[in-house]
Amino acid sequence: MIYGITLIILGCLAVPSLILAKKPDAKAAFDKIAPFQGWIGILFAIWGVWGIIQCLLNMQLLSIVPIAWIIWLVVSVVEAALGFILGYGLISKHLLSKNETAAAKGEQLLAKLLPLQGKLGIIAIILGIIQIIASIVYTAA
């Protein structure tokens, strides 16, 4: 359930305009989180990359529980992508600034991911809701 909640939070951070359009009073909460957005992004980027690695290492699950494995992979990719987008400022400042080639590739990746940020945020919220429902169903069973 916690995994689903964190996905919803990540999705909300990625599409604050969507949330603020529905609940204008949520601006105070976003303003409190904004200084930590980069660190939250880095955390999710690392968590997403780790999830992708674990998913690929556990490829045998694809034949046992294919839907769960596919959801796991999609969730991990969404986490890594949104984490990179949200944490790009810190990533570029601390990691990419030392190497111009890496900085250029980072900017190219960011340019490709930025147009998808809204869609990825909505997907993260939906996947978070699915994770919460799945955890409730599996614990009740």
Side-chain angles (χ1 to χ4, degrees), residues 66-119:
I67 294 174
W69 188 88
I70 291 169
I71 290 174
W72 182 16
L73 181 62
V74 170
V75 165
S76 297
V77 168
V78 168
E79 284 175 345
L82 284 177
F84 180 77
I85 292 169
L86 294 176
Y88 182 74
L90 286 175
I91 292 170
S92 101
K93 178 181 174 185
H94 294 293
L95 293 177
L96 303 179
S97 63
K98 297 173 179 121
N99 184 341
E100 290 197 24
T101 307
K105 289 189 185 242
E107 288 194 26
Q108 288 174 352
L109 180 59
L110 182 65
K112 289 178 184 176
L113 291 176
L114 272 178
L116 302 174
Q117 181 175 353
K119 292 175 186 172

Side-chain angles (χ1 to χ4, degrees), residues 53-66 69 72:
I53 292 168
Q54 288 297 310
C55 196
L56 294 175
L57 289 175
N58 291 293
M59 201 105 158
Q60 74 274 9
L61 293 175
L62 185 58
S63 63
I64 301 168
V65 282
W69 188 88
W72 182 16

